[in-house]
Amino acid sequence: DTSEEQGREFGKGRGTVDCCYPVKCISGHYGELIFGQKKKINILLSPMIHSLPSILHRHVVDTVTCTRVMAGPENIKAGFMKEHDVFADSGVVYASPFVSLGDRHMVTAQLHSSLKDIFDLDSGETERAVLAGFQALDSFTAKTRQQSREILAWCAQNQKPCILVLARPYHMDTGIGHEIEAELQAHGYPILWLQYLPGDDDLMNWLFEGDIRKGRVKSPFDISDVWTSSYSSNTNEIMWGAKVAARCPWITCVIRLSSYECGMDQPTYTPTQKIVEASGTLFFKFGDLDSTKPAGSIKIRVETIVHYLAKYSQDIIQQKLNWLSPKCPLPMAPQERTPSSTVVPAETGAVVVAGETPAAERARHSQLGV
Ligand code: SF4
């Protein structure tokens, strides 16, 4: 895991260009691998990942990575070669294959051409290794999506809320995401990550059938109504996750995480917030996360979030259920479908809470970061 100490001890003075926090962290990881192991490593493998597998594959323009991710290995490597070649001095071979994980048919050739001499590989071995890797990835992804479905089924059965984290995959790293979601889970709210939302047809068609019927989108995975330049894989998934959160009744709150100096997230802040809040779903953003864990302010904000969840979740669930067909594919406790009087979405996407004074609403919005 990433930590402040790791960066200080192993990555200090290795920066070459000003970059976002997640990329900056790689220096600490490289340094620890080279200098901090009891048993010396022989090879440091750090692929330049060009594209990613995605649930939105074929529904979007492309699924490429952020350019800073793609260039990260070269950028960080330079910091270890500024004065002399630290890899060579330490007897470490540096391997950085360019790989398009989103285009599986290309991966064997890409890895074989760049790694064949380093690992003494033939093409058949590379192909079997790539197959095994994708099988492991697919099996983990399917299992985790199923677990997310089970969480939603439990919420539906018990009419309980859960929280969706809208973030990039590396925010699951405790040093980058600072375990903010774990603080919320400790209050009894199940956590879903957008990367593992269940994409099952029955559930997705139920959530998006109104949009498809009205011709707004072609499928539940179509994000062209909210994001036309859909090239970047994780950005696309963040937009899709916001749409799912806005529709799914039991997701009553979204936590948005973003790292220090993230240029990719910048244009998505307003659209994601508007999408989520348009259905009255609560939205809280933790931005500019870096190495420092602001424990005190996280604690205060977690208390605020828990307060709003406890106060509004049942109304949000009921309101969103009223907008959807009664044929929910998840087993639900019997309930009346009555219009909620407490939370209504305004046209702007802002949430109006009946009975709340304007001052209280303003205070609430400022706490939401609106
Ligand atoms: S998405 Fe943002 S935080 Fe992540 S690597 Fe790119 S610029 Fe950095």
Side-chain angles (χ1 to χ4, degrees), residues 12-34:
K12 204 163 170 224
R14 301 278 174 202
T16 47
V17 293
D18 197 24
C19 63
C20 56
Y21 179 62
V23 170
K24 210 176 276 175
C25 288
I26 306 175
S27 291
H29 285 284
Y30 276 25
E32 189 174 14
L33 285 169
I34 296 168

Side-chain angles (χ1 to χ4, degrees), residues 20-23 66 68-69 168 170 259-265:
C20 56
Y21 179 62
V23 170
C66 163
R68 279 180 169 177
V69 165
R168 293 176 187 266
Y170 42 71
S259 291
Y260 177 68
E261 280 209 6
C262 178
M264 295 296 282
D265 272 345

Side-chain angles (χ1 to χ4, degrees), residues 9 60 63 301:
E9 189 175 348
V60 289
T63 62
R301 293 204 65 202

